Amino acid sequence: MRSLQVKVTVLATVATAVMVGLAGFLMLGSQRQQITTQAENSSRVHYVCAGSKCVVLDERRLLTAPDVVVQYATTEVRPELTLSPFGEFGYEVVGAGPRPAEGVARTITAQAQAELNTAALGLLGVFVLVTTLVSVTVLTAVGRVLRPVEAMRAEVAEINEHNLTRRVPVPSSDNEIARLGATLNETLDRVHHAVEDTRRFVADASHELRSPLAALRAELEIALSHPDMADWPTVVKMALEDAERLQELTTDLLLLARLDADALDRQDTVDLSAVVRREVSRRAMVTLDAEDHVLVPGRHAQLSRLLGNLLDNAERHAGTEVVVRLRGGSSATLEVIDDGPGIPEGDRERVFDRFTRLDEARTRAAGGAGLGLAIARRIAGRHQGTLEATDAEGFRGIRFVATIPTGIPQPRKAAVVERHRVGDEVWQFLNGSIVPTHHHLPEPRPVPEPELDWDLIFGEHRPAHGPVLPLRSR
């Protein structure tokens, strides 16, 4: 019995049967007591006895008092009735007077039992009628209530990865079923958007990974096809640049995957002022205006990455100046402002999508993979904060405003610690960090300019000096 409709009907029927049966049993017991009392009263006879001779006492007749001593006696029939219409009944004659004839006593008891049987059969009919009516009513009502749910279930069963645009029918009434349908449609919308984002992400990631791989392969194939004419130091340097670009891209992809999949379950008390000063000290054209000791709960490395990505974007587009402001309060407010060309208002939300690059930043030299701002927003979201792009007051460029709520950091569960330790090690490997730590993600380190030992690479076969083939325009 798996049908909810049947289960609810059976439950309602059983509950009604128990309540009606209990009420009927109590009523039948009261009726038996009343009928028994009436039978006793109707069968009671009073006698006046003198010696062994008794005379029925008649209130309508005046008796002459004899010269002998008399006494009064009473005789009555007490029926023993049964609640079952088909059960056996009995009777008992009580009193000091003469016993009535057996036929008379049995007739009085049979009449009382017949009256009780009529009441019992009437109550049984009411019991059957009420329980049947409740069963049919509940079965019909639950069926009508669950009909939209069944329609939703059938529609959801037909939805797959190829037709995510389908939605469940929502009843016009404003009740729980209608709200359930609306919630299901909202959930399907989020699933649809998530699947579309994943498909676009896979396509964009494949494209971004394919470009440096194709360039690297072309460089090496051209150099190998003319080994005597190739400038091997230049070839290796360009190949190393492509490898570094691939490493940076895979690191960003791994970080994005972790930010999308996991919650910020371990938090430390981070001095955001120290993070900002340390990150700004590495920059040349940045002006700092920050309050001291702005404490927020979160991850030190991720907050440093958030600011670093914003500064990278600002320096890439700024004309002459980049300003960083930090203010405390109920929420820490971090602003990064540049005097560059700015971002059109219609694109200020789109720039936070993965692999989004505006037209002026599509070149390989000027623009990255389009993941920096996406990573920054996800880090802000993991810290229960926001990141928005707005007009820069007093500047011609753009202002990025990140808000991080302040609060007490929560401890991390032991089971999650182990899982994040493994992820930290993978992050350290891809990020190039060799410092073993399991407390936070290590900060990205600047990649030093490679110093190549050509004797170690080529041995005695140094690259030939001669005309160099044009490998690729930069």
Side-chain angles (χ1 to χ4, degrees), residues 86-157:
F86 309 102
E88 294 291 334
F89 60 89
Y91 63 91
E92 179 183 6
V93 178
V94 296
R99 295 178 61 86
E102 182 177 356
V104 174
R106 190 168 184 83
T107 300
I108 294 174
T109 305
Q111 292 176 351
Q113 183 65 48
E115 186 177 354
L116 181 62
N117 290 345
T118 302
L121 291 176
L123 289 177
L124 180 62
V126 172
F127 172 81
V128 174
L129 178 62
V130 171
T131 53
T132 303
L133 183 62
V134 169
S135 300
V136 174
T137 303
V138 172
L139 185 66
T140 304
V142 174
R144 291 179 61 86
V145 170
L146 294 181
R147 192 177 304 163
V149 178
E150 177 61 23
M152 296 178 189
R153 185 206 63 80
E155 185 66 24
V156 172

Side-chain angles (χ1 to χ4, degrees), residues 167-185:
R167 296 295 179 265
V168 301
V170 179
S172 58
S173 57
D174 185 14
N175 53 25
E176 290 80 1
I177 303 298
R179 291 192 289 272
L180 173 63
T183 303
L184 283 176
N185 285 336

Side-chain angles (χ1 to χ4, degrees), residues 201-244:
F201 176 76
V202 172
D204 293 338
S206 302
H207 176 74
E208 292 294 334
L209 291 172
R210 183 177 60 182
S211 298
L213 286 175
L216 177 60
R217 178 177 179 178
E219 292 169 357
L220 296 179
E221 286 181 349
I222 294 175
L224 289 176
S225 63
H226 303 281
D228 297 334
M229 302 177 62
D231 186 358
W232 286 104
T234 304
V235 172
V236 175
K237 182 178 179 180
M238 296 174 65
L240 182 59
E241 291 177 358
D242 288 330
E244 292 171 354

Side-chain angles (χ1 to χ4, degrees), residues 330-341:
S330 59
S331 295
T333 303
L334 177 63
E335 300 180 6
V336 177
I337 310 171
D338 66 77
D339 59 351

Side-chain angles (χ1 to χ4, degrees), residues 193-390:
H193 293 327
V195 171
E196 292 299 323
D197 290 343
T198 302
R199 289 172 179 172
R200 286 194 298 268
F201 176 76
V202 172
D204 293 338
S206 302
H207 176 74
E208 292 294 334
L209 291 172
R210 183 177 60 182
S211 298
L213 286 175
L216 177 60
R217 178 177 179 178
E219 292 169 357
L220 296 179
E221 286 181 349
I222 294 175
L224 289 176
S225 63
H226 303 281
D228 297 334
M229 302 177 62
D231 186 358
W232 286 104
T234 304
V235 172
V236 175
K237 182 178 179 180
M238 296 174 65
L240 182 59
E241 291 177 358
D242 288 330
E244 292 171 354
R245 185 185 177 195
L246 285 172
Q247 181 183 8
E248 180 182 357
L249 182 57
T250 53
T251 300
D252 289 343
L253 291 175
L254 175 63
L255 178 58
L256 267 178
R258 293 190 61 188
L259 292 176
D260 289 340
D262 299 330
L264 190 64
D265 41 34
R266 185 183 72 81
Q267 296 179 340
D268 304 319
T269 300
V270 180
D271 188 352
L272 193 57
S273 302
V275 173
V276 171
R277 288 189 173 88
R278 182 176 181 182
E279 192 66 32
V280 169
S281 64
R282 305 174 181 178
R283 314 284 173 157
M285 54 185 300
V286 180
T287 302
L288 177 61
D289 178 15
E291 296 181 356
D292 295 329
H293 305 295
V294 179
L295 303 180
V296 296
R299 302 287 291 274
H300 183 279
Q302 293 186 14
L303 292 174
S304 178
R305 181 64 183 272
L306 184 152
L307 178 58
N309 287 0
L310 294 179
L311 288 176
D312 290 341
N313 180 79
E315 289 181 337
R316 185 180 298 119
H317 301 94
T320 58
E321 186 180 8
V322 176
V323 177
V324 177
R325 296 173 182 169
L326 177 63
R327 297 290 182 267
S330 59
S331 295
T333 303
L334 177 63
E335 300 180 6
V336 177
I337 310 171
D338 66 77
D339 59 351
I343 301 176
E345 188 173 355
D347 295 330
R348 291 179 183 176
E349 189 66 24
R350 189 170 63 89
V351 294
F352 294 105
D353 295 337
R354 292 171 292 197
F355 299 106
T356 297
R357 292 175 295 185
L358 302 182
D359 293 338
E360 63 271 18
R362 290 190 179 275
T363 63
R364 182 177 177 182
L371 296 176
L373 295 179
I375 292 175
R377 168 166 280 191
R378 278 160 178 77
I379 292 176
R382 278 170 60 94
H383 289 76
Q384 307 300 320
T386 60
L387 177 60
E388 304 292 339
T390 62

